[in-house]
Amino acid sequence: MPADWSRAVDVERLADAGETREFELPLRELPRLAPALAVDEGSAQCRIAFARERGAPIADVAVKARLGLRCERCLRPVWHEVDGESRVWLLTDPSQADDLDPGIEPTLAPQGRIPLRDLAEEELLLALPLVPRHERLADCVPAAEGGSGAEEEVLQRPFAGLGELLKRGRE
């Protein structure tokens, strides 16, 4: 039997009951997030509380996770802590969004059903940095092994000399 977070749930029923679901979501089970991960081990702690507001189902989604993203400078893992919360309308028809509070994101729940995984994954995706990278450049270049005589790995900078070449071309 699949885990509770992978099955589509009836958002109308959960909203009417005011239910809250808490679960641990394995990162490798997230199809949209997985390509951004350098390390897919671990899990996200998730809490989704359902309610009704203005007659429509709404969900308060909270996630906590430590994501091993791929640094855009060195391609090694860089760790990013996520502690995010958002409120979303759960709509069966996109035209319903016009009648609701514009400050809350609408999410489509076809036939009034949506997997809890999709709500949690969306919150994780929204928390990703635009360009994941180590804060300090020094963290991108692995240090030489002490005493072994190994050379320090050089960070590639393909456009480093471009400015100088352009200046020479104008002379």
Side-chain angles (χ1 to χ4, degrees):
M1 181 168 112
D4 189 41
W5 45 261
S6 66
R7 291 188 313 235
V9 295
D10 182 341
V11 298
E12 298 285 345
R13 185 184 64 74
L14 293 173
D16 287 341
E19 282 195 39
T20 298
R21 299 283 175 96
E22 294 188 27
F23 54 98
E24 192 171 308
L25 183 57
L27 297 176
R28 65 174 45 110
E29 298 290 332
L30 302 171
R32 294 182 298 152
L33 179 65
L37 299 175
V39 179
D40 69 354
E41 297 169 4
S43 60
Q45 302 301 314
C46 309
R47 182 183 45 76
I48 302 175
F50 295 89
R52 279 209 182 271
E53 197 168 296
R54 293 187 183 176
I58 199 164
D60 289 307
V61 182
V63 295
K64 289 184 181 187
R66 185 170 188 254
L67 304 177
L69 304 174
R70 189 170 290 105
C71 174
E72 292 294 326
R73 286 193 282 220
C74 68
L75 302 179
R76 292 186 341 189
V78 58
W79 295 98
H80 180 71
E81 297 291 331
V82 174
D83 189 357
E85 291 185 30
S86 67
R87 174 172 271 200
V88 295
W89 294 110
L90 300 167
L91 309 177
T92 56
D93 180 4
S95 66
Q96 295 172 310
D98 297 336
D99 303 328
L100 300 172
D101 183 349
I104 301 174
E105 277 300 311
T107 296
L108 192 60
Q111 290 92 39
R113 301 179 65 76
I114 193 168
L116 299 176
R117 171 187 59 204
D118 292 1
L119 293 171
E121 184 175 27
E122 187 68 24
E123 187 65 29
L124 289 167
L125 287 167
L126 289 170
L128 291 180
L130 188 57
V131 179
R133 62 183 185 181
H134 291 97
E135 285 186 32
R136 298 177 325 136
L137 183 59
D139 293 338
C140 285
V141 182
E145 295 176 28
S148 68
E151 294 181 21
E152 192 172 290
E153 186 176 319
V154 177
L155 186 63
Q156 296 287 326
R157 298 195 182 276
F159 301 108
L162 186 59
E164 192 61 38
L165 288 173
L166 289 172
K167 285 180 191 175
R168 283 191 231 155
R170 291 185 200 147
E171 295 174 357

